[in-house]
Amino acid sequence: MSKKVAVIMGSDSDFPVVKGCIKTLKSFGIETEVRVLSAHRTPAEAAAFADSARERGYGVLIAAAGKAAHLAGALAAHTTLPVIGIPVKSSTLDGLDALLSTVQMPKGIPVATVAIDGADNAAYLAVQMLAIEDAALAQKLSDYKQEMERQILEKNAKLQEEVNAL
């Protein structure tokens, strides 16, 4: 059975940021559960979710949060699964506060961190993590990267035609 990915937001206001992440995970056929859990307002529920995630078939947890952005670290403290943090841009400090809160973790509690509002890359990183032990998923990822390469080479060829016509 394939591993699932949980996408957890500190607030429902983070949903517009994580939509792309959810779509990407689903496009690879990864079962995805989406929840709102707060490191500060529902700490017991967030801890319980992380504590039981492995036993419930999850392979990776993705946590999106803005401002203080302690969600990824709070989840990582309660699991041995990989946790990917998405710092969400808020109205204050353009997301730098969330980035620093997500990336500055103490020794032994790592959180992989993507760019501010980098939800799509969080999904691709989760796919890569799951593909370590899932050959079919690794092939899908390889196919995706080959398609990206094809598209870029096609765009370059069109650009070269335009440049040569100058």
Side-chain angles (χ1 to χ4, degrees), residues 141-156:
L141 189 57
S142 179
D143 293 346
Y144 170 76
K145 288 192 173 199
Q146 287 175 3
E147 176 59 20
M148 274 196 318
E149 178 182 13
R150 185 197 64 72
Q151 289 175 7
I152 293 299
L153 292 174
E154 183 179 293
K155 289 177 183 182
N156 181 57

Side-chain angles (χ1 to χ4, degrees), residues 9 13-22 24 62-67 69 84-100 102 113-124:
M9 297 166 277
S13 65
D14 300 327
F15 187 59
V17 172
V18 301
K19 277 184 182 178
C21 174
I22 298 162
T24 298
I62 297 174
K67 297 187 180 178
I84 303 169
I86 305 169
V88 176
K89 183 177 179 178
S90 65
S91 59
T92 56
L93 301 178
D94 286 332
L96 184 59
D97 49 345
L99 173 63
L100 294 175
T102 305
T113 307
V114 296
I116 296 167
D117 289 351
D120 288 359
N121 270 351
Y124 291 117

Side-chain angles (χ1 to χ4, degrees), residues 32-48:
T32 307
E33 182 173 343
V34 182
R35 295 218 178 168
V36 175
L37 294 171
S38 170
H40 303 111
R41 294 177 293 247
T42 60
E45 289 84 353

